[in-house]
Amino acid sequence: MPTKSKPKKRKKTLVIVESPAKAKTIEKYLGRNYRVIASKGHIRDLPKSQMGIDFDNNYKPKYISIRGKGDTIKELKAEAKKAKDVYLASDPDREGEAIAWHVAHALNLDDTAKNRVTFNEVTKDAVKNSFKHPRSIDMDTVNAQQARRILDRIVGYSLSPILWDKVKKGLSAGRVQSVALKLVIDREKEIKDFKPQEYWTIDAEFKKGRKAFKSQFWGVDGKKKELPNNDAVQAILAKIDKKKEFTVNKVVLRERRRQPAAPFTTSTMQQEANKRLNYRTRRTMSIAQQLYEGISLGKEGTVGLITYMRTDSKRTSPIAQAEASKFLNEKYGKEYAAKGQRHFKNAEDAQDAHEAIRPTSVYRTPESLKSVLTTEQYRLYKLIWSRFLASEMTPAVYDTVRADSEQNGVTFRTTGSKMKFAGFTKVYDNQQEKNVELPDLNEGDKVKLSKSDNKQHFTLPPARYTEASLVHSLEENGVGRPSTYAPTIDTIQRRYYVKLEGKSIVPTELGEIVDNLIEQFFPDIVNVDFTAQLENDLDSVEEGKKNWVKVIDDYYHPFKKELDKADSEIKKVQIKDEPAGFNCDICGAPMVIKMGRYGKFYACSRFPDCRNTKAIVKKIGVTCPKCGKGDVVEKKSKRNRKFFGCSRYPECDFVSWDKPIGRNCPNDGHFLVEKKNKKGLVVLCPNGDYKEEAKDDTVKES
């Protein structure tokens, strides 16, 4: 009896994405006829050991397989051989397009074939629809990314050897981060050069009957007047007769509408997450990547919760807008849903390749997902969800009052507002306006001045950059693109060109030395307008309007002249070691303060014969509450988080995340610590049975 032949195993369609998490999600959507695997990012790049660019052959890049990616490339090739068809589904941006091109090259795929699929959100419908409309690899987009990579390699690999030779080994410089560093240093110069200007204010309290309200001095004889000094204040007070009443001579009633903010772009998401959640830019992008690639929702399976998070567009799809309108009508009522489709204007240089960052479905509310999300994922998702929903809501409406009270030509102005309709603030409010209600004031009313308070002030210097404000400044100046903000800020911190003090970004001595050299010999690199123009040229390459080789050529030739000049003219910079003021406890030689990769530290002056080093610690003026012998010093953890420990470590192992203040709790004798909250500083007992709240710089027991 003839044996039955086994049916041939049906070949599967292979789909290649970047991340394993994304691969798992997409494979579930596409079903058993598809095999989805990850390239785990780039598989080819320029070599680390050499420039890797053929300057005599139109800047042709020399790509090699990235070390450690051998097994991944073998797997990709093996799966491609077995597959019926191969699709490239890396992220829908320049980087993703370049990854698809590199994978196609490694697998000998035809890069003109329609094997490229992209989707802005990792949801079942979006993924399945993308396979209905495959396209060929967009070589204009690939060339824009190649041009950026080659330019960054030319700048980095040309400048870094000069910095190694002239300043210090281990240093490096880059194109976009040099501009970011210059912005930070220029701000620091503004702060140092700032000369405060004196000015005064007169705050007053008036009464109409028994109702009191606050007011501020505005002007004299119908004209606004500044108060530059105390003499000007006294001249105003001399005009006022405290026994006489003021007359309300002007009342302006208005209705003010506050419009909602646009849904998030990469930049605005990073800024708000930094301000509201205290997330660093890199952390924000990491969490957003997880939300985009997919979260397991139990029976529903793995779902991408947000759209693609690298975007400078404020546009959202009509389908998402219609869903938001339906949700708002059901949840809050029709008066809260915006009438018609809302359009937010993009910045002039926005690429508008993708939608704004939004939830893939507003019906997946933050509260409904709280049990399946980590705390970090939940907080960022709630921010994105709320911001998008608010952008599709009606304005908040306020009744505002402005009243001027006058006596002998002296005018005090009072302003108040009361919310009439919450509108979008019911979901998301990025200003937190307070109601300031006033008594019913009418023109001709008499009001009595009950007290006044004259205060001296001085103008303040501009604030140091935070990660949020630096991202805003980079975007405003057209430097970098959504994918570059987080790595740029991360790089200048890792190289110790800047450091964080609280949330403020402060330049280091090393950063100032590097910036000074680059500004002196390579002015174009740190020229904001020049760098912004280059970004526009790269956008033009992506749009097919400019040739990528010509863009590099126009940039490289002036840079080459600067490079030759710098190599011959830059003198070696000596970073002198400062005396530490004490001797080495191993060999007795004087200790010095050296500059290292992570900042300053103590080292023996006989290095390398004696390798004794010590961390520089800051005493806080408090004796160790555990041993009573050592000093409490400020230290930094491996993650750069500040904590407090005993100077006698390891003999004494006292540590505290919160700053001890040198007093003990009157209830249980435990040492008290200082913490910050929204109201300011608070002194409390870690055991939780005692607290002192700081009010107006004084500590009050509670």
Side-chain angles (χ1 to χ4, degrees):
M1 198 174 163
T3 56
K4 287 184 180 179
S5 60
K6 288 184 181 179
K8 283 186 178 180
K9 199 172 182 181
R10 192 173 177 183
K11 284 189 173 184
K12 292 188 176 185
T13 297
L14 179 66
V15 181
I16 301 170
V17 297
E18 281 141 306
S19 90
K22 195 172 166 186
K24 285 179 186 175
T25 307
I26 293 168
E27 193 164 76
K28 286 176 184 174
Y29 294 158
L30 295 176
R32 62 183 180 181
N33 293 329
Y34 288 81
R35 168 97 167 102
V36 186
I37 59 174
S39 68
K40 299 168 189 170
H42 278 279
I43 59 170
R44 294 198 310 163
D45 197 8
L46 298 171
K48 286 188 175 181
S49 57
Q50 54 182 272
M51 180 72 78
I53 296 161
D54 187 348
F55 289 91
D56 299 322
N57 188 16
N58 287 333
Y59 308 100
K60 186 179 178 181
K62 176 189 173 183
Y63 291 118
I64 62 167
S65 298
I66 295 171
R67 183 178 289 180
K69 285 295 183 82
D71 290 342
T72 301
I73 294 170
K74 278 181 188 175
E75 184 191 8
L76 292 173
K77 286 180 176 178
E79 292 292 341
K81 276 184 182 178
K82 294 188 288 182
K84 176 186 170 187
D85 294 300
V86 179
Y87 286 96
L88 307 169
S90 44
D91 285 348
D93 59 5
R94 284 183 195 166
E95 196 88 23
E97 205 70 21
I99 288 173
W101 179 68
H102 284 301
V103 170
H105 187 277
L107 302 184
N108 293 316
L109 302 178
D110 179 3
D111 54 16
T112 63
K114 291 191 174 182
N115 59 3
R116 175 82 171 111
V117 292
T118 59
F119 31 84
N120 195 44
E121 56 187 69
V122 186
T123 57
K124 194 169 188 176
D125 289 344
V127 171
K128 286 199 163 186
N129 285 335
S130 70
F131 281 84
K132 294 176 184 176
H133 310 285
R135 58 170 173 80
S136 57
I137 291 170
D138 185 341
M139 285 309 298
D140 289 331
T141 303
V142 171
N143 288 333
Q145 181 61 26
Q146 279 201 109
R148 175 187 285 282
R149 185 74 187 96
I150 291 167
L151 282 168
D152 287 345
R153 171 56 65 97
I154 290 170
V155 172
Y157 274 44
S158 300
L159 286 185
S160 299
I162 291 177
L163 294 176
W164 276 53
D165 184 45
K166 307 294 183 181
V167 185
K168 186 175 180 292
K169 280 196 174 182
L171 297 184
S172 55
R175 190 175 55 84
V176 177
Q177 56 258 36
S178 294
V179 180
L181 176 60
K182 180 173 168 52
L183 288 172
V184 172
I185 286 172
D186 285 352
R187 177 61 58 87
E188 198 67 18
K189 286 175 184 172
E190 283 181 60
I191 293 168
K192 285 176 183 173
D193 295 341
F194 181 79
K195 290 182 172 54
Q197 300 290 317
E198 181 186 9
Y199 71 98
W200 288 68
T201 56
I202 306 173
D203 296 326
E205 184 181 270
F206 287 94
K207 282 189 175 179
K208 183 188 177 184
R210 291 185 177 181
K211 290 186 177 179
F213 61 94
K214 291 177 180 177
S215 193
Q216 293 79 36
F217 168 75
W218 181 79
V220 178
D221 299 330
K223 292 181 181 177
K224 187 168 175 60
K225 184 175 175 63
E226 304 297 332
L227 300 173
N229 49 48
N230 191 34
D231 290 342
V233 172
Q234 296 308 318
I236 297 299
L237 294 178
K239 288 175 174 281
I240 298 171
D241 185 345
K242 290 186 177 180
K243 293 179 182 177
K244 283 177 63 179
E245 291 183 313
F246 278 67
T247 303
V248 177
N249 62 0
K250 191 175 184 181
V251 177
V252 179
L253 301 173
R254 282 202 179 106
E255 184 182 87
R256 181 168 62 85
R257 290 172 174 263
R258 229 181 87 207
Q259 299 292 340
F264 283 133
T265 61
T266 302
S267 163
T268 53
M269 177 182 72
Q270 289 173 352
Q271 291 171 56
E272 280 294 284
N274 186 255
K275 289 176 197 169
R276 287 179 171 236
L277 310 179
N278 204 23
Y279 290 174
R280 306 271 292 277
T281 50
R282 188 170 184 170
R283 185 180 174 197
T284 298
M285 294 308 289
S286 173
I287 302 163
Q289 183 87 33
Q290 295 161 19
L291 295 173
Y292 165 70
E293 289 182 347
I295 302 292
S296 176
L297 304 184
K299 288 181 181 178
E300 197 179 343
T302 304
V303 178
L305 297 182
I306 64 168
T307 52
Y308 193 55
M309 64 285 158
R310 292 185 182 93
T311 177
D312 53 11
S313 175
K314 297 173 185 173
R315 172 178 56 82
T316 52
S317 77
I319 295 169
Q321 289 179 320
E323 186 189 61
S325 179
K326 185 174 179 238
F327 177 86
L328 288 166
N329 274 280
E330 292 169 359
K331 176 86 174 173
Y332 298 107
K334 63 180 181 180
E335 65 272 23
Y336 284 94
K339 308 293 183 285
Q341 289 187 352
R342 182 168 269 140
H343 301 282
F344 293 94
K345 191 177 178 184
N346 282 330
E348 283 183 20
D349 59 349
Q351 291 176 280
D352 198 34
H354 318 294
E355 286 187 65
I357 303 167
R358 61 166 177 82
T360 52
S361 171
V362 290
Y363 281 92
R364 293 190 193 97
T365 64
E367 290 307 314
S368 70
L369 300 176
K370 198 167 186 178
S371 61
V372 297
L373 298 177
T374 66
T375 303
E376 287 185 330
Q377 289 169 345
Y378 168 75
R379 294 179 77 200
L380 186 61
Y381 180 72
K382 186 177 181 183
L383 198 67
I384 293 166
W385 184 90
S386 303
R387 175 84 165 218
F388 168 68
L389 196 63
S391 74
E392 293 298 318
M393 294 175 75
T394 46
V397 183
Y398 298 84
D399 283 331
T400 66
V401 182
R402 194 189 80 205
D404 290 348
S405 306
E406 188 261 340
Q407 185 208 97
N408 298 334
V410 177
T411 301
F412 280 80
R413 176 160 287 179
T414 304
T415 56
S417 68
K418 184 181 179 182
M419 182 179 279
K420 188 176 183 179
F421 176 68
F424 74 92
T425 64
K426 200 168 185 73
V427 170
Y428 180 93
D429 191 359
N430 56 343
Q431 289 185 24
Q432 300 295 326
E433 251 182 74
K434 289 182 180 178
N435 283 344
V436 181
E437 293 193 45
L438 301 176
D440 188 21
L441 295 172
N442 300 293
E443 291 179 8
D445 283 352
K446 300 294 182 183
V447 293
K448 185 173 178 59
L449 177 65
S450 56
K451 59 182 176 183
S452 64
D453 185 15
N454 327 321
K455 288 181 180 175
Q456 181 188 36
H457 308 272
F458 290 92
T459 53
L460 297 171
R464 281 178 170 144
Y465 280 113
T466 60
E467 288 196 358
S469 59
L470 185 54
V471 165
H472 176 71
S473 187
L474 288 169
E475 183 185 45
E476 198 173 49
N477 286 292
V479 176
R481 285 296 179 260
S483 61
T484 65
Y485 302 135
T488 296
I489 293 173
D490 188 54
T491 298
I492 59 175
Q493 288 178 33
R494 280 190 293 104
R495 288 176 180 163
Y496 197 65
Y497 295 160
V498 300
K499 60 183 179 181
L500 282 180
E501 290 185 0
K503 277 192 173 184
S504 299
I505 300 175
V506 183
T508 63
E509 182 186 344
L510 184 61
E512 288 173 352
I513 290 169
V514 170
D515 176 70
N516 187 47
L517 282 178
I518 294 174
E519 188 168 13
Q520 188 177 346
F521 292 95
F522 303 95
D524 282 344
I525 285 178
V526 288
N527 183 307
V528 170
D529 294 334
F530 183 86
T531 306
Q533 182 54 49
L534 178 58
E535 295 290 356
N536 292 334
D537 289 342
L538 292 173
D539 292 347
S540 296
V541 171
E542 183 171 355
E543 292 158 12
K545 295 175 183 175
K546 284 194 175 184
N547 178 274
W548 70 278
V549 174
K550 178 77 166 59
V551 168
I552 296 175
D553 211 44
D554 290 345
Y555 187 90
Y556 175 67
H557 286 299
F559 175 68
K560 181 70 170 66
K561 288 178 184 175
E562 292 175 345
L563 202 62
D564 294 338
K565 184 183 175 188
D567 200 32
S568 60
E569 292 185 13
I570 294 179
K571 294 178 181 176
K572 195 163 180 70
V573 177
Q574 288 288 338
I575 302 178
K576 293 182 180 177
D577 296 333
E578 305 168 45
F582 61 93
N583 293 334
C584 175
D585 51 11
I586 293 177
C587 71
M591 294 287 277
V592 292
I593 298 172
K594 283 185 174 286
M595 174 75 76
R597 188 176 175 186
Y598 301 106
K600 292 183 176 181
F601 64 97
Y602 294 127
C604 181
S605 57
R606 289 183 60 245
F607 178 86
D609 297 323
C610 177
R611 294 180 173 269
N612 185 21
T613 61
K614 288 176 181 282
I616 295 176
V617 292
K618 179 180 168 187
K619 293 181 182 180
I620 66 166
V622 172
T623 302
C624 175
K626 187 169 185 179
C627 69
K629 297 175 184 177
D631 295 305
V632 175
V633 294
E634 190 179 294
K635 296 183 176 184
K636 289 280 178 76
S637 70
K638 287 181 181 177
R639 294 194 174 185
N640 210 32
R641 185 179 169 189
K642 185 165 68 175
F643 71 98
F644 301 89
C646 181
S647 60
R648 293 179 62 246
Y649 179 84
E651 286 85 2
C652 175
D653 61 357
F654 168 77
V655 286
S656 171
W657 288 115
D658 302 310
K659 184 179 178 181
I661 64 164
R663 287 193 288 121
N664 292 334
C665 175
N667 295 339
D668 65 3
H670 194 286
F671 65 87
L672 295 174
V673 296
E674 189 176 83
K675 280 180 86 85
K676 271 188 179 179
N677 66 10
K678 290 179 182 178
K679 295 179 182 177
L681 288 175
V682 175
V683 172
L684 52 81
C685 177
N687 290 338
D689 58 355
Y690 181 81
K691 185 170 79 169
E692 301 173 2
E693 290 184 6
K695 270 191 179 178
D696 300 324
D697 297 325
T698 60
V699 174
K700 181 181 175 184
E701 287 189 19
S702 62

